[in-house]
Amino acid sequence: MSAASTAPTALITGITGQDGSYLADLLLGKGYVVHGVVRRTSSLDRSRLGHLYADPAIYGQRLFLHYADLDDPTPLRRLLAKIAPDEIYHLAGQSHVGLSFEIAESTCDLTAMGTLRLLEMIRDLPKPPRLFHASSSELFGQPAVAPQTEATPWVPVSPYGAAKAFATRMVTIYRQTYGLHACNGILFNHESPRRGENFVTRKICRAAASIKLGLQKKLSLGNLDALRDWGYAPDYVRGMWLTLQQAEADDYVFATGELHSVRDLAAQAFAAVDLDWEPYVEVNPAFFRPAEAANLVGDPSRARQRLGWTPSRTFGEIIAEMTQSEYAALAKSA
Ligand code: NAP
Ligand code: G4F
């Protein structure tokens, strides 16, 4: 029997995203066979997986991509029957909170109903795999208490948050009702050089590097006073894996427990390229949201105690790494 046929098998939805790509790296490093679900797009540029495509010992040997969509259950049902994964990491979703006010129906269809469809498929399998669902601190919306734990009541204030609340609750219902090993990771913001360009960390780090290189003059932002609990994406995918290795399924908050403002973030990013941020940043009301989550800071005590999970990087280290990565990429192509 080959090594691959005895290796654990994982399926990742959203493998082309920030978290999916880091999770693929982590699982391949642990000897898993990894299957990724991708949607059909006109571009085959899946740059976050480029290093894995380029490795002939990985792509087509231990990493496989499949076209399937969460609004078209048959291909996914067939795929699940064929590969019989041990673990599923469900990360696919329209992940931009601000955009969810513009495209509310498709955000909810994929995030809420897509998760329910996946649960229904898993429930029907003869040997249901373990499931990790990427839930979000947006569940809490504008919570009355801080920091938030797994027991804090949910008050979502965005279509995205409401869709995640539905999906999160469904995961719990299927765990309790059908005995599935299904878990929610209540993930606070996590960032990296692979973050999408329209999230505020990457947008600011990229602009700081671009301004330093003389390629850009100004940076337009929304609410500078917004506060978030920002951690490091590779730590959060480690948390996902640890969650599924527990004998008993449960939900976990993953967070740093520290708050920083968008203003602090701009100061740190510009400082990483020896600039003062204030002359370059302008506020543009177009980037304000119809409703804004507030007071979102997580208490990861359960994850620390039961999983031994702790964040590996400080806020300053993450922002410096992201800004330096942008600087190197822009300087190379300039
Ligand atoms: P991301 O970089 O935006 O990746 C999202 C993934 O979902 C991509 O693979 C994307 O595929 C896929 N996707 C988007 N729309 C889709 C659709 N209509 N049909 C099928 N696939 C679709 O997000 P991320 O930061 O890695 O986050 C992963 C998950 O964790 C998401 O569910 C997000 O909501 C959740 N989460 C993230 C954070 C965070 O701070 N990063 C915090 C809490 C929760 P394409 O490449 O084809 O677009
Ligand atoms: O980077 P953001 O867009 O992240 P947001 O909305 O917190 O959502 C991220 O984290 C969630 C975890 O709670 C995930 F569930 C979700 O999938 C996503 O990964 O915005 C962060 C803050 C917000 O308060 C926003 O109003 O930055 C503020 N902001 C200020 N100016 C801006 C901008 N956000 C963006 N994207 N662009 C701006 O120009």
Side-chain angles (χ1 to χ4, degrees):
M1 201 182 275
S2 72
S5 64
T6 56
T9 300
L11 178 76
I12 304 175
T13 74
I15 193 169
T16 53
Q18 170 187 255
D19 292 4
S21 66
Y22 281 119
L23 182 63
D25 291 343
L26 179 94
L27 296 178
L28 289 165
K30 290 185 180 296
Y32 278 65
V33 172
V34 175
H35 294 266
V37 175
V38 295
R39 58 176 165 164
R40 195 264 159 195
T41 55
S42 57
S43 163
L44 291 180
D45 176 27
R46 301 196 175 108
S47 52
R48 292 178 179 119
L49 300 176
H51 59 296
L52 299 175
Y53 281 142
D55 186 341
I58 297 281
Y59 190 57
Q61 302 295 321
R62 293 202 294 123
L63 172 66
F64 304 89
L65 299 185
H66 310 268
Y67 286 113
D69 234 309
L70 286 158
D71 60 3
D72 182 6
T74 304
L76 198 49
R77 201 181 278 281
R78 253 187 228 129
L79 180 64
L80 287 173
K82 184 171 164 203
I83 66 177
D86 301 294
E87 298 171 6
I88 299 181
Y89 295 86
H90 176 40
L91 313 183
Q94 190 299 96
S95 70
H96 198 281
V97 176
L99 207 51
S100 79
F101 289 94
E102 307 292 324
I103 51 168
E105 289 176 46
S106 62
T107 299
C108 291
D109 189 52
L110 176 65
T111 297
M113 289 306 294
T115 304
L116 176 56
R117 288 185 196 110
L118 185 60
L119 285 162
E120 282 286 275
M121 289 175 219
I122 293 173
R123 178 188 156 196
D124 286 344
L125 290 171
K127 190 172 164 268
R130 294 182 173 197
L131 173 72
F132 176 90
H133 167 240
S135 181
S136 164
S137 52
E138 278 286 313
L139 291 183
F140 301 119
Q142 295 173 351
V145 292
Q148 293 86 48
T149 69
E150 295 79 4
T152 302
W154 305 344
V155 194
V157 295
S158 63
Y160 171 92
K164 285 286 186 195
F166 174 93
T168 306
R169 188 64 202 152
M170 281 298 175
V171 167
T172 308
I173 289 170
Y174 275 58
R175 176 168 77 225
Q176 293 172 344
T177 310
Y178 304 115
L180 296 184
H181 193 292
C183 308
N184 292 298
I186 304 173
L187 310 170
F188 283 65
N189 300 48
H190 46 278
E191 317 299 316
S192 74
R194 297 188 198 172
R195 188 54 144 150
E197 286 178 19
N198 57 356
F199 294 91
V200 77
T201 50
R202 179 94 189 270
K203 182 176 169 181
I204 292 176
C205 295
R206 190 170 180 78
S210 179
I211 288 169
K212 179 71 179 179
L213 286 162
L215 302 171
Q216 183 176 333
K217 292 203 176 336
K218 288 278 180 194
L219 165 63
S220 292
L221 292 173
N223 184 3
L224 299 182
D225 297 320
L227 297 162
R228 286 291 184 279
D229 176 334
W230 278 294
Y232 190 50
D235 289 338
Y236 290 61
V237 305
R238 181 165 41 83
M240 296 175 191
W241 177 77
L242 286 167
T243 297
L244 288 199
Q245 308 318 304
Q246 305 311 302
E248 203 162 318
D250 210 340
D251 301 334
Y252 293 92
V253 161
F254 292 101
T256 70
E258 263 183 42
L259 273 178
H260 295 272
S261 66
V262 171
R263 198 182 297 276
D264 291 342
L265 165 51
Q268 296 263 359
F270 279 76
V273 286
D274 297 321
L275 290 177
D276 177 14
W277 67 282
E278 279 171 297
Y280 301 104
V281 172
E282 58 193 15
V283 171
N284 182 342
F287 294 111
F288 279 78
R289 293 174 183 177
E292 173 79 87
N295 211 19
L296 295 185
V297 57
D299 174 358
S301 297
R302 181 187 284 178
R304 188 172 55 242
Q305 284 156 14
R306 294 202 204 153
L307 310 180
W309 183 87
T310 49
S312 70
R313 304 255 168 122
T314 65
F315 174 71
E317 288 167 346
I318 300 163
I319 300 308
E321 180 188 338
M322 289 178 71
T323 309
Q324 278 147 17
S325 162
E326 295 299 332
Y327 187 90
L330 288 170
K332 205 167 147 193
S333 61

